[in-house]
């Protein structure tokens, strides 16, 4: 019954773009002996019971008694091996990289999402302070660190400090520049906590992102599209174009573009690249792309053109759309940060 409920809650948040995009996020359910965590390669929106990996909780607990090397790569490699070895017999799927974190949270159900509104808070310079004012002792704030063993260890320490201080455990974990974890004993409570968080944040929002469309000359878009396709590395790429009120404001000039120039959360880095390229003068587009390549050792996936709009590139039509979705997510987060003291 409980795995069925895990499937239900996973699909519920997986299908809602205000919580998750591009198949991100993960969920889990635990009983006395086992934890069932989303496996890599499955999307929450369409997950079935076989999309979860069964892990032995005792084996996972032993990870915390082990001594790992100081070297980051070696440590993560060994911890990952121990995570893989904690799978119940017969399991072949790969558990999510955040499985350790799911396992240390005491609640039966744990849901991890990346809502733009929540990330407006987690990416703001006053985020931590505001989170403490809004959620008091219900939440802990975790600074930005790489996912995996080290993040789980940091949260484990925070949880035991919290427990000593308050003799209870928080049900909300806010990860700086990433998203949130919510834990509860029932899926009803999971939904209530999410509603509480979003409802609380909504009251703080002074300006909602305005994605109403803006008219752009088709001839102009066609011209830029051809210039991008003319660049040798982009001749087979699929390109998506978008403009709206917020994009228009962001592509006004180099300064206004700064707020969306770099990734806010890991999803942006994965799907939109380490930097979004801003083209000030179309005559220099090839040069700008060359320089981008030198700076970042890869080609841009997002190309913004001054006073025109944003183009996203992908090997398939779908991937150029996903990159656009993640760019728009970054833009939303940028707008939401304005309600929490700016980024
Ligand atoms: Zn995440």
């Amino acid at each position: 019954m409980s795995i069925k409920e895990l499937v239900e809650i996973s699909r519920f948040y997986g299908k809602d773009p205000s919580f998750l995009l591009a198949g991100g996020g993960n969920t889990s359910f635990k009983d006395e002996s086992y934890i069932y965590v989303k496996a890599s390669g499955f999307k929450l929106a369409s997950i079935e019971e076989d999309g979860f990996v069964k892990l032995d909780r005792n084996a996972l607990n032993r990870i915390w008694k082990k001594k790992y090397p100081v070297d980051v790569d070696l440590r993560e490699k060994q911890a990952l091996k121990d995570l893989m070895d904690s799978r119940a017999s017969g399991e072949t799927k790969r558990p999510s990289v955040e499985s350790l974190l799911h396992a240390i949270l005491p609640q039966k159900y744990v849901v991890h999402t990346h809502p733009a509104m929540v990330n407006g808070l987690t990416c703001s310079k006053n985020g931590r302070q505001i989170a403490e004012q809004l959620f008091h002792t219900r939440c802990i704030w975790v600074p930005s660190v790489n996912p995996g063993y080290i993040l789980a260890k940091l949260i484990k320490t925070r949880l035991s400090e919290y427990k000593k201080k308050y003799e209870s455990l928080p049900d909300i974990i806010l990860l700086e520049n990433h998203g949130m974890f919510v834990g509860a004993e029932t899926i009803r409570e999971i939904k209530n906590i999410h509603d509480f968080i979003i409802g609380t944040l909504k009251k703080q929002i002074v300006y909602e992102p305005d994605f109403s469309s803006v008219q752009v000359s088709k001839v102009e878009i066609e011209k830029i599209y051809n210039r991008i396709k003319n660049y040798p590395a982009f001749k087979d790429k699929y390109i998506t174009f978008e403009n709206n009120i917020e994009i228009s404001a962001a592509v006004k000039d180099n300064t206004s573009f700064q707020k969306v120039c770099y990734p806010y959360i890991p999803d942006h880095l994965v799907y939109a690249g380490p930097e979004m390229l801003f083209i000030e003068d179309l005559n220099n587009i090839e040069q700008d792309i060359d320089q981008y390549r030198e700076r970042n050792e890869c080609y841009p996936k997002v190309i913004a053109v001054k006073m025109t709009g944003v183009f996203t590139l992908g090997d398939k039509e779908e991937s150029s759309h996903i990159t656009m979705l993640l760019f728009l997510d970054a833009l939303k987060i940028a707008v939401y940060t304005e309600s929490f003291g700016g980024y």
Side-chain angles (χ1 to χ4, degrees):
M1 192 59 202
S2 307
I3 302 290
K4 280 202 168 60
E5 289 191 310
L6 174 62
V7 169
E8 184 192 326
I9 198 76
S10 302
R11 289 185 183 175
F12 182 80
Y13 289 106
K15 280 179 188 164
D16 186 340
S18 68
F19 282 92
L20 288 167
L21 296 167
N26 39 60
T27 52
S28 67
F29 164 75
K30 51 179 87 72
D31 57 26
E32 279 293 304
S33 315
Y34 296 100
I35 177 167
Y36 303 79
V37 190
K38 189 195 88 100
S40 297
F42 288 82
K43 287 185 175 160
L44 288 183
S46 54
I47 203 158
E48 307 270 357
E49 286 186 29
D50 67 359
F52 295 91
V53 194
K54 186 179 176 183
L55 305 169
D56 182 328
R57 292 182 71 192
N58 282 328
L60 286 169
N61 281 334
R62 285 197 291 273
I63 288 181
W64 302 111
K65 295 189 181 85
K66 282 189 76 163
K67 273 234 173 306
Y68 289 106
V70 184
D71 179 84
V72 181
D73 291 343
L74 266 180
R75 181 187 61 216
E76 290 300 327
K77 219 172 143 187
Q78 285 188 19
L80 183 65
K81 189 190 173 292
D82 289 336
L83 173 66
M84 298 297 272
D85 290 347
S86 69
R87 288 179 296 183
S89 61
E91 271 295 358
T92 51
K93 283 162 286 189
R94 233 183 128 76
S96 147
V97 65
E98 275 138 350
S99 298
L100 271 180
L101 218 163
H102 281 265
I104 57 171
L105 298 175
Q107 295 91 350
K108 250 186 198 156
Y109 293 93
V110 174
V111 171
H112 167 49
T113 57
H114 311 141
M117 196 182 283
V118 172
N119 280 329
L121 179 74
T122 75
C123 300
S124 290
K125 57 171 185 267
N126 299 338
R128 182 183 192 143
Q129 215 180 314
I130 296 173
E132 279 162 9
Q133 283 161 14
L134 294 176
F135 303 117
H136 311 281
T137 55
R138 283 191 74 168
C139 112
I140 57 169
W141 176 278
V142 182
S144 183
V145 293
N146 286 334
Y149 173 81
I150 210 73
L151 173 64
K153 192 172 179 190
L154 178 66
I155 295 179
K156 196 173 182 291
T157 312
R158 288 284 159 91
L159 286 177
S160 61
E161 288 165 2
Y162 183 102
K163 206 173 176 184
K164 258 186 221 148
K165 203 164 160 190
Y166 303 111
E167 289 173 3
S168 66
L169 281 163
D171 46 15
I172 307 165
I173 293 176
L174 293 173
L175 305 181
E176 193 175 295
N177 292 103
H178 185 148
M180 66 171 175
F181 277 78
V182 168
E185 295 307 309
T186 65
I187 65 167
R188 184 66 256 160
E189 276 177 76
I190 288 277
K191 287 186 182 176
N192 287 345
I193 299 167
H194 281 82
D195 291 349
F196 162 70
I197 297 166
I198 299 297
T200 306
L201 292 181
K202 257 194 185 145
K203 285 186 213 145
Q204 304 295 315
I205 302 296
V206 285
Y207 177 57
E208 280 279 351
D210 185 352
F211 281 6
S212 330
S213 58
V214 167
Q215 283 289 341
V216 190
S217 139
K218 279 207 169 97
V219 180
E220 181 67 14
I221 299 170
E222 191 76 19
K223 193 175 98 190
I224 301 169
Y225 179 92
N226 289 331
R227 283 299 292 271
I228 296 173
K229 288 286 260 186
N230 233 344
Y231 190 85
F234 296 157
K235 70 176 176 27
D236 296 324
K237 294 281 184 196
Y238 286 85
I239 300 175
T240 298
F241 172 77
E242 188 85 45
N243 195 10
N244 61 40
I245 301 266
E246 297 301 342
I247 293 180
S248 276
V251 300
K252 204 170 114 267
D253 54 36
N254 220 331
T255 314
S256 58
F257 196 69
Q258 284 304 309
K259 66 176 179 187
V260 278
C261 193
Y262 299 106
Y264 279 99
I265 62 168
D267 276 355
H268 300 159
L269 177 68
V270 173
Y271 295 100
E275 183 194 327
M276 328 273 170
L277 177 61
F278 184 71
I279 306 286
E280 187 112 39
D281 179 354
L282 208 55
N283 291 317
N284 300 334
I285 186 166
E286 287 84 8
Q287 228 173 298
D288 287 347
I289 296 170
D290 289 342
Q291 284 169 3
Y292 179 101
R293 172 121 207 250
E294 269 168 43
R295 275 198 308 277
N296 298 295
E297 293 175 346
C298 62
Y299 287 110
K301 291 179 179 170
V302 177
I303 299 181
V305 179
K306 187 178 177 175
M307 306 288 274
T308 306
V310 166
F311 298 80
T312 54
L313 292 81
D315 293 333
K316 290 179 182 160
E317 196 169 7
E318 198 199 350
S319 52
S320 73
H321 286 312
I322 291 175
T323 298
M324 182 59 79
L325 274 180
L326 271 302
F327 171 75
L328 293 173
D329 183 63
L331 194 53
K332 268 189 204 167
I333 293 174
V335 173
Y336 283 133
T337 62
E338 290 171 24
S339 301
F340 305 111
Y343 63 97

